[in-house]
Amino acid sequence: MDKPAVCGGNPVRDTKIYYGHQYIDEADIQAVTEVLRSDYLTCGPKIAELEEKLCRITGAKYAVVCSNGTAALHMACQAAGVGEGDEVITTPVTFAASANCALYCGATPVFADINEETFNIDPEQVAAVTSAKTKAVVAVDYTGQSVELSELLAHCRSRKLVLIEDGAHVIGTRYKGRYNGSIADMTTLSFHPVKTVTCGEGGAVLTNNEEYYKKLLLYRTHGITKDPALMEHDPDGPWYYEQIALGMNYRMTDMQAALLISQLDKLPAFSKRRKEIVKTYNEAFGKLPQIILQKEIPESDTTRHLYILRLNLKRLTVNRKQFFEALEAENICCNVHYIPTYYFPYYEKLGYRRGLCPKAEKLYEEIISLPLYYAMTDRDVQDVIRAVTKIAEYFKRDLSE
Ligand SMILES: *Cc1c(COP(=O)(O)O)cnc(C)c1O
């Protein structure tokens, strides 16, 4: 059964195409070099400029940029007051950081299953696993489609939980007309090169809550303050500062901030192109009974970070691994997002067992992330469609047999 599955004939293309790639133009390069010639490489004016820009784009009141999306999640959990003995609910269909951030704070991640059609965390499942120990929910906008914020917020309000939105995929998306980032208690972003906009490594926490904002500023820089109003002792002199909490160094550099400011100018174009590609894929794959499309909820006007090809295995004679290898043989190099977090040995050793979230586990067996990025040409998109169609037809299972 597990032999490599390669279709007959020549590959649909001669050169490899990958599932994601950043887009850097001359304006980006110039923005970075200008900082290199300036007085500040870090803690300079580009940080505030970027934070203002993120607020303007998303409608959030406050933004705190930081070194990466994982740091953003850690700081958000800290600001939410997550600590020893608490539970934090998240989805297993995500990058490990969405659960690791609870562990960083000494809390216990609790996994809630997904909605099998949207692939996002199911608010009913969140309610089902909420306990007296639950402190926060980390809800991931998987692929860039918004989680059901109204339902999640209603639950979090009624049980006095903090809603942290892991928006690593979500920049550019709107939920019920408002940009994600201005709705949950805190929303975290990531600017890794595979994400929609990048600065190499980078992250941010967005919030409308001033208390969280002040805490995030402290945690970003060691828990140190220069604000006399926050100090316990009288200042010794103009150099004086105090450490009043245990924070980290999670700062972003000004080179990164300048790059991201320049990237954000292109967000409308990035968003438009991603939507076009998703539409073209959906139209093509919607005709194939071997493929199941991800359900799009009307509340989310989605800028997609990932395109998930879900295989209808009943209609195929091959499994996901073989389909994946067949795509590689066509020079379409894909990925899989994600291995359920609690499958990892680290989580197994903490006592998590397979079977916790059956819908997430089933999804994992059936998915492949196809190439999706701004610089893809129409030809690239057609090559992906031709390759998927070729393989789906070649390994079609006739149900009447
Ligand atoms: C990328 C990603 C992160 C982590 O972001 P980094 O910037 O790589 O630390 C967290 N959650 C999700 C869902 C991600 O995709």
Side-chain angles (χ1 to χ4, degrees):
M1 171 76 188
D2 234 27
K3 67 180 184 316
V6 177
C7 302
N10 294 327
V12 299
R13 57 184 285 142
D14 302 329
T15 54
K16 290 188 192 305
I17 180 170
Y18 294 92
Y19 90 94
H21 199 277
Q22 72 272 19
Y23 178 81
I24 300 290
D25 64 11
E26 279 308 314
D28 293 333
I29 293 167
Q30 207 180 331
V32 173
T33 52
E34 270 171 27
V35 172
L36 288 172
R37 292 178 214 283
S38 80
D39 289 334
Y40 293 96
L41 302 187
T42 189
C43 303
K46 290 292 168 193
I47 302 302
E49 188 184 333
L50 171 59
E51 290 175 341
E52 278 161 29
K53 191 159 186 161
L54 283 170
C55 288
R56 209 159 55 238
I57 289 172
T58 60
K61 262 194 175 158
Y62 307 102
V64 176
V65 297
C66 58
S67 45
N68 55 64
T70 305
L73 282 164
H74 181 197
M75 291 198 300
C77 283
Q78 268 194 319
V82 172
E84 209 87 34
D86 292 334
E87 292 177 353
V88 175
I89 298 169
T90 192
T91 170
V93 183
T94 184
F95 185 62
S98 312
N100 288 346
C101 59
L103 294 174
Y104 296 156
C105 297
T108 303
V110 172
F111 295 97
D113 211 347
I114 56 165
N115 174 303
E116 62 202 332
E117 292 183 317
T118 66
F119 316 156
N120 267 334
I121 197 166
D122 180 346
E124 283 180 22
Q125 293 299 316
V126 172
V129 299
T130 298
S131 78
K133 291 179 178 167
T134 310
K135 182 80 188 175
V137 176
V138 175
V140 180
D141 306 297
Y142 175 65
T143 74
Q145 171 160 246
S146 178
V147 287
E148 301 195 68
L149 282 167
S150 296
E151 289 79 355
L152 290 170
L153 267 174
H155 175 69
C156 287
R157 291 290 172 268
S158 76
R159 298 294 298 263
K160 297 206 161 34
L161 313 178
V162 181
L163 180 59
I164 299 170
E165 189 181 352
D166 178 346
H169 302 179
V170 91
I171 196 158
T173 292
R174 278 184 294 182
Y175 177 79
K176 294 186 177 174
R178 286 168 68 188
Y179 279 98
N180 291 65
S182 63
I183 305 167
D185 293 312
M186 285 178 268
T187 303
T188 64
L189 303 176
S190 164
F191 308 118
H192 182 276
V194 300
K195 310 289 159 80
T196 299
V197 290
T198 186
C199 59
E201 296 279 359
V205 187
L206 307 175
T207 184
N208 294 331
N209 181 310
E210 193 180 355
E211 242 170 84
Y212 293 145
Y213 173 63
K214 287 180 175 166
K215 286 185 178 167
L216 293 165
L217 290 178
L218 273 180
Y219 295 137
R220 179 171 64 181
T221 305
H222 312 281
I224 283 173
T225 183
K226 286 193 136 182
D227 180 356
L230 297 176
M231 290 182 187
E232 300 211 357
H233 307 299
D234 289 334
D236 294 343
W239 63 86
Y240 190 77
Y241 61 83
E242 281 184 357
Q243 184 193 340
I244 58 171
L246 185 60
M248 290 69 61
N249 177 355
Y250 278 168
R251 291 189 302 264
M252 178 186 273
T253 68
D254 277 53
M255 288 83 79
Q256 291 168 312
L259 176 52
L260 196 62
I261 291 166
S262 178
Q263 285 268 300
L264 287 170
D265 289 337
K266 292 180 274 289
L267 179 58
F270 287 173
S271 186
K272 180 164 171 277
R273 181 64 181 147
R274 283 175 178 268
K275 284 179 180 180
E276 276 168 15
I277 297 168
V278 167
K279 188 161 173 277
T280 309
Y281 279 163
N282 280 345
E283 279 165 9
F285 304 142
K287 295 181 193 133
L288 297 173
Q290 299 92 326
I291 304 300
I292 300 165
L293 298 187
Q294 179 180 2
K295 182 182 172 187
E296 297 181 328
I297 60 167
E299 294 84 355
S300 179
D301 175 3
T302 305
T303 292
R304 207 80 81 81
H305 157 55
L306 291 174
Y307 189 91
I308 304 300
L309 189 75
R310 183 177 198 172
L311 305 177
N312 186 353
L313 293 177
K314 286 199 293 284
R315 297 274 192 159
L316 289 163
T317 60
V318 287
N319 62 20
R320 185 268 312 274
K321 178 164 173 270
Q322 292 167 313
F323 202 105
F324 188 98
E325 288 165 346
L327 279 167
E328 282 192 322
E330 303 293 335
N331 284 320
I332 310 294
C333 301
C334 298
N335 209 326
V336 171
H337 298 91
Y338 291 95
I339 302 162
T341 307
Y342 58 77
Y343 279 18
F344 293 127
Y346 187 83
Y347 278 83
E348 283 182 324
K349 283 173 195 141
L350 291 175
Y352 295 87
R353 291 290 172 265
R354 294 186 186 214
L356 262 182
C357 298
K359 289 173 185 168
E361 294 183 15
K362 182 167 188 295
L363 182 73
Y364 170 60
E365 298 300 328
E366 301 176 349
I367 54 174
I368 295 171
S369 306
L370 292 184
L372 175 64
Y373 52 90
Y374 174 71
M376 280 182 88
T377 64
D378 290 343
R379 172 80 203 278
D380 293 333
V381 176
Q382 289 308 320
D383 286 347
V384 173
I385 291 171
R386 284 197 295 138
V388 170
T389 308
K390 178 180 170 184
I391 298 163
E393 293 300 328
Y394 192 89
F395 295 110
K396 179 163 71 179
R397 183 192 298 279
D398 190 349
L399 285 181
S400 60
E401 269 170 16

